[in-house]
Amino acid sequence: MFPPRFSRLAAACRLLFTFFVLLAVAPAALAATLTGRVIDPDGRGVAGVRVVVATSIGTVVDRETNANGEFQVAALTGGSYEVRVLADGFQADPITVTLGGDETRALNLPLRVSAITESIVVSAAQIDVPLSRAADSVAVITAADLEARQIETVADALRLVPGLAVTRSGGRGTLTALFPRGGASNYTLVLVDGIRANSFGGGYDFAHLSVADVDRIEIVRGPQSALFGSDAIGAVVQVVTRRGGRPRIDGLVEGGSQGTARATIGAAGSNGDWSWGAGAEHARSLGYRGVAPATGEAVTNDDYRFSHVSGTVGWQRPGGADFMVNGNIGRDERGLPGPFGSDPIGTFAGIDRIARGVDDTRQIGARLTHPWSARVRQRLEANYTDLSGDFVDQFGPSSSGTRRFDGRVQEDIALSPAFGASAGVELLRERGSSTYVTGGIADAPVPIRRGVTGTFAELRYVGHDRLSVTGGLRLEHITRDSVEANYGVFSARPAFPAQTVDSLNPKISASYLIRASRESGASTRVRASGGTGIRPPDAFEIGFTDNPNLKPERSRSFEVGVDQQLAGGAYSLAATGFVNSYDDLIITISRVLRDASRFKSDNISNARSRGLELEGAARLINALRARASYTLLHTEILSVDGLAEFAPPPFKVGDALIRRPRHQGSIDLTYNAGRVTAFGEMTTRSRTRDVEPNSGSIGGFFAPGYAVINAGGSVRVAHGLDVYARVLNLADRTYEEILGFPALRRSGIVGVRIAASR
C-alpha cells in the first residue's frame, strides 16, 4: 500500500482531472476553415496521408486525406498556422498560412520523393515538433518500417539506430539491455504513450516491449532530464501506439524454428469525435534445445511465453479539447538455464533447471489537452504503473516490484508566431521493493519510497524555418523516505533518515538551415545541443549501502551534427559527434579502497564516452531503399574522486566500459514493388569487454565481435492478405552478444498477415 501522502496526491490529481474534463465541454468560438489536396509528383491525389496543422504550441489538428487526397480542417480560430504533410517515402515543403476569423482557404500540397520521411515527434521538446526541425539526434521508426522488416520486438528495431548498443543474453525473451552512447543499461527512459515503463531506479528489460499496435518509435539520444526528469540520463525511447484514422484491423500468425509461434491483432479508427486503437500479442518459443557448448549437457528449459494487450480511447472536440485514456497489460514467463556458452576459466557448474522468472506489467494513463485559445493550451496527465517480478531458483522464491503514480500539469503559450513557451510541474511518487532488500531483526522486506517534484520551463524560437532554438530547465526535488536498519550478515545497514536532493538540469539546442532548394529538395542543416541528466539510485543500491546520502548519478553531454539532403531529396547523409561525462557513478567498494571511503556503495567512480555517428539513406529507385549506419565509440573509466590515477579495482584508469563496442554498424535494404516486399539487413560490432559469465568477476574477459545477416520477403496473394517468410542469422554464425550466452543460430519463420480497412 502507498502511504497517506500518496493517496492525497492521487485524490488531488483526480479533482484536477474532473475540473478539466468539465472545461472540455465548454463552447468555443471557432470559425475558419482550411481545405486542400495532397498530390504526388505525377499530380495524382494521395490517399491516407496525414496533414498536420500546427502553431508555436504544437499540433492543433491532425487529419488524414480521403481517397482523392483531399482534407478539410474546420473550426479554426483566426491566426497563423503551419501545415505539414507526413507521407512515407515523400516530403513536402511546410506552408505557413494566416487565416481570418471566418476565412476559408484552399491549399495544394505537392509531394516529392525523399530518402527521409517527415514525422512529428513528441519526445524532443515539451511540445510535438517536426523531425526535420529537431536539433537533437532523433530517430523515428514507423509502423511501415516495422512491417517491411518483419520486426518482432522494439529491441530488434533499435539495432539499426546509431549510438545504441543492444545486448541480449541468448534467444527470445532473455534479458535485453540498451547502452546509449556509452551510458549504462539503466540510462534510458522508456515511455509508452507518455507512461514511464522503467522499474524503480531506471532499469528496463527490452525483451518484452511489443510492436503489436505501434504507430512509431521515437528515439532521442543524449540526456533529456530537462524534459523528463529522473532516469532520462542517456536517451529516451518512446513508443507511440496507433489511434484514429480510417477504421482498420490487421493481424498476423507466424511460426518456425525453436518451436516459435506468434500471433497479433490490432485495430484503430475514428468515428466523429471519437478515436480508438488496440492491440494484442501472444508469443511462445521453446528456445535453445541443443547441448551446452561448455559441457555437452542438454539444455531443456530455455522456453519463453509472452502475452500483451493494450488499448487507447480518445475524444476530441473539433478545434477544442482532446481527451485520451490508454493502458496496457503484459505477462512474460521464462526458463533461465544460465550461461551455458563460453566458459573462459572453467567454472561452469551445469544447466540450471530450476530457475524461472515471471513478470507482470499493468499501466494506465489519461491525458487532457484543453486549448483556451489559439495561443494558450493547458495539458493535464495522470499515470499509474505496477510492475512485479517473481523468481525461483535453488535458493527458493523471491520477488521484486515497482509501483508508481505520476501527474503532470503543463501550460503552452504562443508568445508570437515565432516564439512559444511551456511551463509546468510534474509530481511522481514511486515505491521499489525486493525480497533481498530487508530490514529489522526479522529480516523482513523493506520497500524504498521516493517522491519527485519536477518544475520545468522551456522557450522555443523558430525563425522562418531556418533557425530554431530551444532552451529548457528543470528543477528536480527528490525526496526519499526514511529506511529502517537491517542487521543481516550480508547486508548490514544503519537506519537512514529521510533524504532530500535538489538538482537543476538545463538543456539548450539549436538547428540552422544553411541552404535549401525547394526545386531540387537539397538542403544542409547544422545542429548542436547540450544538457545534463540525472538517475537516482535503485532499491538495491539503497538497500546495500551504509551511506545515508547516496547521491544520484549524473551526466553532462554535448553534441554537434550536420544533416545533408542531396539533389532530388533521394539521398541523405548525417554525421554527429558527441562527448558525455558520467559523474557520481555508484559502485561497490573493494577492500583496496577502504581508506578512501567507509561505505560499501558510494558515488566515487566516473567515466567518459566520446564518439561519432554516421548515417546514410537512399531511395535508389522508387521500389528500393537503402540505409546504413556506423558508430565509433570510445569509453574510458576515470580516476576515483580524490585519488588521482586510481580506478575501482579490477579496472585501471583508461579501461573501456563493459559491453560498449568500439565499432558498430548496420546496412539495411528494403524493396517494395506492388505485390512483393523484401528486406535484407546486416548488423555488426567489434569485440567488447565483458564479465566472466559464471563467477561474475571482471577483468580481461571479452565477447568476440560478430556480423549477422537477416533477410525475408512477402507476397500479396489477395487484397489484404500477405504470405511472408524470414530467415534470421542467415549465415548460421555462432556468436554471443553477452559472454557465455549463445545467440540464436539460423532460424526460419513463416506467416500470414491480414489487413482490412473501411
Side-chain angles (χ1 to χ4, degrees):
M1 295 295 293
F2 285 104
R5 76 180 77 179
F6 174 85
S7 299
R8 291 193 296 269
L9 176 63
C13 288
R14 285 196 298 269
L15 181 62
L16 284 171
F17 188 77
T18 303
F19 173 69
F20 285 110
V21 169
L22 294 175
L23 289 177
V25 299
L30 305 172
T33 301
L34 195 62
T35 65
R37 188 166 184 252
V38 179
I39 58 175
D40 65 16
D42 296 324
R44 296 169 299 191
V46 183
V49 302
R50 292 171 58 196
V51 178
V52 174
V53 181
T55 68
S56 58
I57 58 173
T59 298
V60 175
V61 178
D62 188 338
R63 289 285 186 269
E64 191 173 284
T65 58
N66 63 19
N68 297 318
E70 298 167 339
F71 68 93
Q72 177 175 301
V73 179
L76 293 171
T77 59
S80 179
Y81 296 92
E82 182 179 73
V83 183
R84 287 183 176 266
V85 179
L86 313 182
D88 185 44
F90 294 90
Q91 278 191 337
D93 294 320
I95 295 177
T96 300
V97 296
T98 301
L99 299 176
D102 58 355
E103 182 181 359
T104 297
R105 181 78 62 86
L107 300 176
N108 207 38
L109 303 173
L111 297 174
R112 62 173 179 270
V113 174
S114 175
I116 298 178
T117 300
E118 179 67 289
S119 179
I120 300 296
V121 298
V122 297
S123 309
Q126 297 292 1
I127 64 168
D128 48 349
V129 297
L131 175 63
S132 59
R133 191 178 288 158
D136 299 275
S137 295
V138 182
V140 176
I141 302 169
T142 66
D145 295 328
L146 299 174
E147 181 178 318
R149 294 163 180 79
Q150 301 181 31
I151 288 175
E152 297 180 30
T153 67
V154 171
D156 293 330
L158 297 180
R159 295 179 185 276
L160 303 177
V161 179
L164 304 182
V166 179
T167 61
R168 186 165 65 185
S169 56
R172 292 179 177 86
T174 54
L175 180 64
T176 305
L178 181 68
F179 296 84
R181 287 183 170 176
S185 60
N186 51 7
Y187 279 12
T188 300
L189 177 64
V190 180
L191 303 169
V192 179
D193 287 330
I195 304 178
R196 292 171 178 258
N198 301 69
S199 61
F200 187 101
Y204 188 78
D205 184 359
F206 280 87
H208 321 296
L209 192 51
S210 170
V211 299
D213 61 337
V214 171
D215 177 69
R216 66 185 186 276
I217 306 166
E218 300 178 4
I219 306 100
V220 186
R221 308 189 292 280
Q224 305 297 320
S225 287
L227 274 71
F228 300 103
S230 302
D231 301 337
I233 187 170
V236 171
V237 172
Q238 173 138 217
V239 176
V240 180
T241 60
R242 293 185 296 180
R243 170 193 171 196
R246 290 183 297 171
R248 57 198 182 276
I249 185 171
D250 56 50
L252 61 84
V253 178
E254 63 181 33
S257 305
Q258 293 93 39
T260 299
R262 177 171 168 254
T264 73
I265 186 169
S270 300
N271 185 11
D273 296 341
W274 292 91
S275 62
W276 66 88
E281 177 176 354
H282 178 73
R284 60 177 174 81
S285 178
L286 296 177
Y288 190 90
R289 278 296 184 269
V291 297
T295 62
E297 184 180 2
V299 180
T300 59
N301 63 325
D302 194 41
D303 57 294
Y304 171 62
R305 289 180 179 273
F306 170 73
S307 298
H308 175 263
V309 177
S310 64
T312 302
V313 176
W315 175 85
Q316 183 174 19
R317 184 176 182 177
D322 184 359
F323 176 67
M324 182 182 74
V325 177
N326 61 286
N328 69 89
I329 300 173
R331 182 180 179 88
D332 62 85
E333 178 180 353
R334 202 182 200 291
L336 301 168
F340 54 84
S342 297
D343 185 22
I345 58 176
T347 57
F348 178 64
I351 298 297
D352 188 336
R353 303 191 188 282
I354 300 175
R356 179 167 291 271
V358 178
D359 300 307
D360 289 287
T361 299
R362 295 176 179 85
Q363 295 178 312
I364 188 169
R367 183 185 69 212
L368 173 66
T369 303
H370 184 273
W372 293 96
S373 69
R375 299 182 59 183
V376 179
R377 180 176 66 182
Q378 191 166 44
R379 290 193 286 172
L380 177 69
E381 298 178 15
N383 304 302
Y384 174 73
T385 299
D386 185 351
L387 311 174
S388 63
D390 295 295
F391 177 77
V392 62
D393 62 6
Q394 58 184 321
F395 300 105
S398 61
S399 62
S400 61
T402 296
R403 289 186 181 178
R404 178 186 304 114
F405 175 86
D406 64 275
R408 180 186 181 98
V409 178
Q410 179 173 324
E411 304 285 342
D412 301 317
I413 303 173
L415 303 174
S416 72
F419 281 97
S422 299
V425 61
E426 182 174 9
L427 305 177
L428 181 148
R429 184 69 182 171
E430 61 181 347
R431 185 189 76 173
S433 62
S434 171
T435 306
Y436 297 110
V437 179
T438 58
I441 298 176
D443 209 29
V446 171
I448 308 297
R449 295 183 172 91
R450 180 162 56 209
V452 180
T453 301
T455 306
F456 57 88
E458 182 178 88
L459 181 64
R460 300 172 297 274
Y461 169 77
V462 178
H464 304 292
D465 205 43
R466 294 186 68 86
L467 174 66
S468 61
V469 181
T470 301
L473 192 67
R474 178 166 171 143
L475 175 63
E476 290 287 274
H477 179 72
I478 305 170
T479 60
R480 189 207 64 216
D481 290 7
S482 60
V483 182
E484 68 178 75
N486 182 38
Y487 306 103
V489 175
F490 300 104
S491 58
R493 178 187 65 247
F496 291 167
Q499 180 194 43
T500 299
V501 175
D502 291 313
S503 175
L504 193 64
N505 292 283
K507 175 189 172 184
I508 187 167
S509 58
S511 169
Y512 182 71
L513 186 63
I514 296 177
R515 64 183 183 87
S517 170
R518 290 184 179 271
E519 291 75 19
S520 68
S523 66
T524 304
R525 184 181 295 272
V526 294
R527 49 186 169 79
S529 67
T532 65
I534 182 172
R535 185 196 73 88
D538 62 30
F540 282 96
E541 291 163 339
I542 295 172
F544 288 87
T545 182
D546 289 341
N547 182 1
N549 295 311
L550 198 65
K551 297 182 293 185
E553 296 183 337
R554 302 172 186 272
S555 73
R556 300 189 306 275
S557 176
F558 177 77
E559 68 173 63
V560 60
V562 58
D563 301 328
Q564 175 70 57
Q565 282 200 358
L566 303 179
Y571 301 88
S572 70
L573 299 170
T576 305
F578 62 87
V579 177
N580 300 324
S581 63
Y582 304 109
D583 302 323
D584 295 331
L585 302 185
I586 301 171
I587 66 165
T588 300
I589 301 168
S590 69
R591 294 179 180 178
V592 178
L593 288 176
R594 285 185 182 271
D595 292 335
S597 173
R598 62 185 179 85
F599 308 128
K600 288 185 293 184
S601 293
D602 212 344
N603 306 100
I604 66 169
S605 185
N606 307 294
R608 178 170 58 203
S609 68
R610 293 168 289 177
L612 175 66
E613 298 166 350
L614 302 176
E615 301 175 75
R619 189 159 178 169
L620 302 176
I621 56 176
N622 284 342
L624 182 63
R625 302 187 201 180
R627 297 182 184 179
S629 70
Y630 169 74
T631 303
L632 172 65
L633 177 67
H634 175 74
T635 65
E636 57 182 327
I637 297 170
L638 305 180
S639 60
V640 171
D641 291 341
L643 296 176
E645 299 305 315
F646 193 80
F651 294 105
K652 303 185 299 295
V653 173
D655 279 351
L657 295 168
I658 65 171
R659 296 175 184 167
R660 279 78 151 184
R662 183 170 178 82
H663 303 281
Q664 180 175 292
S666 68
I667 298 175
D668 171 34
L669 297 172
T670 58
Y671 177 82
N672 188 341
R675 300 164 61 92
V676 177
T677 300
F679 79 95
E681 64 183 33
M682 181 182 74
T683 56
T684 182
R685 76 162 203 209
S686 60
R687 74 170 190 166
T688 63
R689 182 183 294 273
D690 212 321
V691 176
E692 200 288 320
N694 297 291
S695 67
S697 58
I698 302 173
F701 302 102
F702 292 88
Y706 60 83
V708 177
I709 299 173
N710 302 325
S714 67
V715 177
R716 178 151 297 174
V717 296
H719 180 70
L721 177 62
D722 294 350
V723 176
Y724 63 88
R726 63 181 177 275
V727 180
L728 308 178
N729 194 0
L730 184 64
D732 200 23
R733 295 290 302 273
T734 300
Y735 70 101
E736 297 172 343
E737 295 183 16
I738 296 178
L739 190 65
F741 295 87
L744 288 176
R745 300 291 295 270
R746 181 167 52 214
S747 59
I749 301 291
V750 297
V752 294
R753 181 187 298 110
I754 60 171
S757 62
R758 190 178 68 184

